[in-house]
Amino acid sequence: MRTAARLEERIFLSLHWAIAGLTLLILAGILWHILRNGISTVNLSFLLETPRQMGKEGGILPAILGTIYLTIVSLTIAIPLGVGTAVYLTEYVSSERLVRVIRFGTESLAAVPSIIFGLFGFVLFVIAWGWGWSVLSGGLTLALMILPTLIRASEEAIKMVPASYQEGSMALGATKWYTIRKVILPAA
């Protein structure tokens, strides 16, 4: 009985490594194909020019700038909200029920597929509010999408800060807000 289980374990382990190796081989083949056929077209003019002839010629500068702007807008909105919510949950809320409700909401939003966030942002910002296709519409949509993950990650990082840091700061006469800003957040 024991040798049969070991044989079965070895077979499944071998099958696992064979599939993993095949997957890596396919990935390497795809990357090789992209690099071999695409590296010759990537040059400074491709990166710094605007598209011409409906995107058949020219570069990708507007796409790069749009991505940078979108990232800046979304992080400018999501970081203060996410970190602020995490600080509120870990330092200020006394009702465990409220914490559970907020965590349930963030966990539920984290499980929503990104296409749903995109559709929500399109309907709310582009159509209902009339902002059109803009960096602000996309940035707000992206901020809503990353907010649950940011809240959860910030909350866990704050929880990992030893209680002695806060106790030491408060013992030295610091206010709660000063302790959060200057001791807990940098350590988190």
Side-chain angles (χ1 to χ4, degrees), residues 35-159:
L35 287 174
R36 188 186 69 208
N37 295 331
I39 200 74
S40 62
T41 58
V42 178
N43 54 33
L44 199 56
S45 66
F46 177 70
L47 296 174
L48 298 179
E49 289 182 9
T50 57
R52 296 185 305 269
Q53 291 188 356
M54 302 287 290
K56 294 177 185 175
E57 294 179 359
I60 59 169
L61 182 64
I64 293 171
L65 292 176
T67 301
I68 292 170
Y69 296 152
L70 188 70
T71 303
I72 289 171
V73 168
S74 66
L75 291 178
T76 301
I77 294 164
I79 287 175
L81 281 174
V83 174
T85 303
V87 167
Y88 179 72
L89 287 174
T90 56
E91 300 295 327
Y92 289 105
V93 175
S94 58
S95 168
E96 186 62 33
R97 179 175 161 84
L98 180 60
V99 171
R100 282 195 314 252
V101 167
I102 293 173
R103 281 192 188 138
F104 176 76
T106 57
E107 295 295 326
S108 297
L109 284 175
V112 173
S114 59
I115 188 72
I116 302 299
F117 278 105
L119 289 171
F120 173 78
F122 175 71
V123 169
L124 182 66
F125 303 128
V126 175
I127 295 174
W129 290 358
W131 291 356
W133 297 97
S134 65
V135 172
L136 184 59
S137 297
L140 285 171
T141 303
L142 189 58
L144 290 174
M145 190 170 74
I146 64 175
L147 193 58
T149 306
L150 191 60
I151 291 170
R152 197 70 178 129
S154 300
E155 187 181 2
E156 291 302 318
I158 291 170
K159 284 181 182 177

Side-chain angles (χ1 to χ4, degrees), residues 83-84 86-88 90-92 158 166 169-170 174-188:
V83 174
V87 167
Y88 179 72
T90 56
E91 300 295 327
Y92 289 105
I158 291 170
Q166 183 174 8
S169 177
M170 300 290 269
T175 63
K176 185 170 185 115
W177 176 238
Y178 184 85
T179 300
I180 290 169
R181 274 187 316 126
K182 297 293 185 177
V183 177
I184 294 174
L185 287 179

